[in-house]
Amino acid sequence: MSGAVGSGSQTIIDGMGSTLMPGLCDAHLHLSWNNAPGIDPIQMMPPEEHTLVTAQMAKLVLDSGFTMGCGAAAAKPRLDVVVRNAINSGMIPGPRYRAAGPEITTVGGLGDSAPSHIPHEGLNLGIVVSGPEEVRRTVRTLIKYGVDSIKLNLSGEEITGMKAEETPMSEEEVAMAASEARARGKVLAAHARSSGSVKQCVRHGIQNIYHASFADEEALDMLEAAKDRHFVAPGLAWLINTARHAGEWGIKPGSPVSIAYERELEHAVETSRKMHKRGIRVLIGGDYGFAWTPQGTNAKDLETFVDLLGFSPMEAIIAATRYGGQIMQMGDELGQIKPGYLADMVLVDGDPIANIRVLQDKTRLLAIMKDGQFHKAPRMSEQRRRIRA
């Protein structure tokens, strides 16, 4: 690993047996999810404080070795955009980030959280639409705000009033969103737990598919036939932790919600295994940002891929690096260490192939470099460093 220290000189760092690898990518990242115990505290945070917290989350993710992240929805319309711009300008530290807007949802769908007697859009986590023309205006508005991607909520979610296996958005609405996004060169993404929603993603060319837990064989056949055009981030950390580790925050193991997530987890593991065997690109990114799935623990996904999905450690690392560069639309610049690629790298004290869990220990991340500059510089002794003129 080398970095410029002045005109005509280099610092050459001897890793002394440590592992140099590409920076990690969280393909399902919500930087404005603020490690709160539920959806309401995320949505109800005032925008001024929320901007500061989102910047804090960006640094926390980069501190964890994640030099890139694909935004999977923002809690407020411009949070992702503002923080992405601040990262890019050097104002704040954070990963390379593709900014999203709020999720676009249907009346009564995931993100339509305003009570019926107070129908105020400010109470919704998503942007609620009904009909193609409302979709058109919403997509155009988000593009005006500067987002990189447009996300649709094509299925429900067990913790809300709409079940995960429901598919509420009409073909006409999905087609309108896809047409408007493509006209402006924006990537499409979807919350798609149900089998029907996964099929909508394939039919309408929605690149980033989040979850796909209940995809049936027909959906998997469709996805495999178009696997070069899609990425899937199953978001297993959310399922595991909501089912088993959220009791402190009111979701008790054995409760109806917990049982529903245990059932979905069983399906999601089996579906993800099938997708991996079919050569479909399955990426890490666990819906982190709640109290029971805190930002900064994102690297746990690699262990989950190995232990539950049957990935080899190298396959899990590829899912977090090479595929990460591809979902960031920078596959010829990011996600690998090779000539011509950007210098986004992590120096690890240990061998992640031998022990994938080492990536979860921030003290073992000796150095984190983004775009050729150290975010975390290694502690160097004279034995590790020599200067070349």
Side-chain angles (χ1 to χ4, degrees):
M1 177 181 285
S2 65
V5 296
S7 177
S9 67
Q10 287 183 321
T11 300
I12 309 299
I13 299 170
D14 183 353
M16 298 178 67
S18 52
T19 301
L20 183 65
M21 62 178 287
L24 301 170
C25 177
D26 188 311
H28 186 167
L29 186 56
H30 299 284
L31 284 182
S32 57
W33 277 206
N34 55 20
N35 290 350
I39 292 174
D40 285 351
I42 295 174
Q43 177 56 19
M44 292 300 107
M45 178 173 276
E48 298 85 357
E49 288 88 344
H50 213 151
T51 303
L52 296 175
V53 169
T54 304
Q56 181 187 34
M57 296 297 110
K59 180 180 182 299
L60 186 57
V61 168
L62 183 56
D63 288 343
S64 305
F66 285 78
T67 58
M68 48 183 164
C70 196
K76 295 178 176 66
R78 294 188 66 247
L79 277 178
D80 264 16
V81 170
V82 168
V83 168
R84 176 205 63 197
N85 293 348
I87 292 170
N88 289 347
S89 72
M91 181 184 295
I92 62 172
R96 298 179 189 275
Y97 192 58
R98 291 188 62 82
E103 298 161 323
I104 300 173
T105 192
T106 56
V107 175
L110 169 63
D112 180 2
S113 44
S116 57
H117 64 292
I118 312 175
H120 192 288
E121 64 182 22
L123 300 177
N124 296 321
L125 187 63
I127 300 176
V128 182
V129 299
S130 185
E133 288 305 318
E134 290 189 10
V135 171
R136 187 201 303 271
R137 183 173 187 85
T138 300
V139 171
R140 289 179 174 179
T141 300
L142 291 175
I143 292 172
K144 173 184 176 180
Y145 291 162
V147 301
D148 296 308
S149 64
I150 298 293
K151 184 180 179 186
L152 308 177
N153 281 353
L154 300 184
S155 77
E157 174 77 36
E158 291 299 333
I159 206 168
T160 69
M162 181 175 285
K163 297 295 183 181
E165 291 177 81
E166 295 184 50
T167 307
M169 195 170 284
S170 72
E171 293 295 315
E172 294 80 10
E173 290 169 325
V174 180
M176 178 64 81
S179 174
E180 289 295 324
R182 282 200 196 89
R184 299 292 300 278
K186 302 301 178 182
V187 166
L188 288 151
H191 172 98
R193 296 190 182 276
S194 67
S195 188
S197 62
V198 173
K199 295 171 189 176
Q200 284 182 322
C201 289
V202 179
R203 283 196 296 270
H204 297 282
I206 296 174
Q207 175 185 285
N208 302 342
I209 302 173
Y210 294 124
H211 308 299
S213 305
F214 294 103
D216 61 18
E217 290 301 314
E218 181 186 15
L220 292 175
D221 287 343
M222 293 171 64
L223 193 52
E224 182 180 4
K227 62 186 178 183
D228 292 339
R229 299 194 294 272
H230 297 280
F231 301 90
V232 180
L236 298 178
W238 165 255
L239 300 178
I240 294 167
N241 290 356
T242 304
R244 302 174 182 175
H245 305 299
E248 181 181 346
W249 298 278
I251 305 175
K252 303 292 185 183
S255 67
V257 170
S258 172
I259 291 170
Y261 278 111
E262 283 284 1
R263 174 178 173 269
E264 182 173 349
L265 174 61
E266 182 179 347
H267 281 273
V269 167
E270 181 63 23
T271 299
S272 297
R273 283 176 166 267
K274 290 178 178 178
M275 287 190 291
H276 181 48
K277 289 178 181 178
R278 287 169 175 254
I280 296 162
R281 291 173 291 187
V282 181
L283 285 70
I284 71 165
D287 238 341
Y288 291 93
F290 291 91
W292 53 94
T293 58
Q295 305 275 17
T297 64
N298 313 59
K300 177 73 173 177
D301 266 33
L302 287 99
E303 180 185 355
T304 300
F305 272 37
V306 172
D307 289 351
L308 293 186
L309 304 188
F311 280 57
S312 70
M314 180 56 80
E315 287 173 333
I317 289 169
I318 288 171
T321 56
R322 185 188 304 170
Y323 291 171
Q326 293 170 6
I327 199 173
M328 294 287 290
Q329 306 287 288
M330 299 176 71
D332 58 351
E333 297 179 275
L334 289 178
Q336 299 182 67
I337 297 176
K338 58 193 298 188
Y341 275 59
L342 298 172
D344 287 16
M345 301 183 288
V346 179
L347 188 65
V348 184
D349 177 17
D351 180 3
I353 299 298
N355 177 13
I356 198 70
R357 292 185 296 277
V358 72
L359 295 172
Q360 298 172 47
D361 184 349
K362 295 180 183 64
T363 66
R364 303 286 290 274
L365 305 181
L366 302 178
I368 301 169
M369 175 176 278
K370 179 186 160 199
D371 208 16
Q373 300 295 319
F374 282 118
H375 169 67
K376 178 182 181 180
R379 295 177 62 185
M380 293 192 295
S381 66
E382 288 309 312
Q383 287 75 28
R384 281 185 180 267
R385 176 169 62 181
R386 49 197 178 87
I387 305 296
R388 271 190 189 166

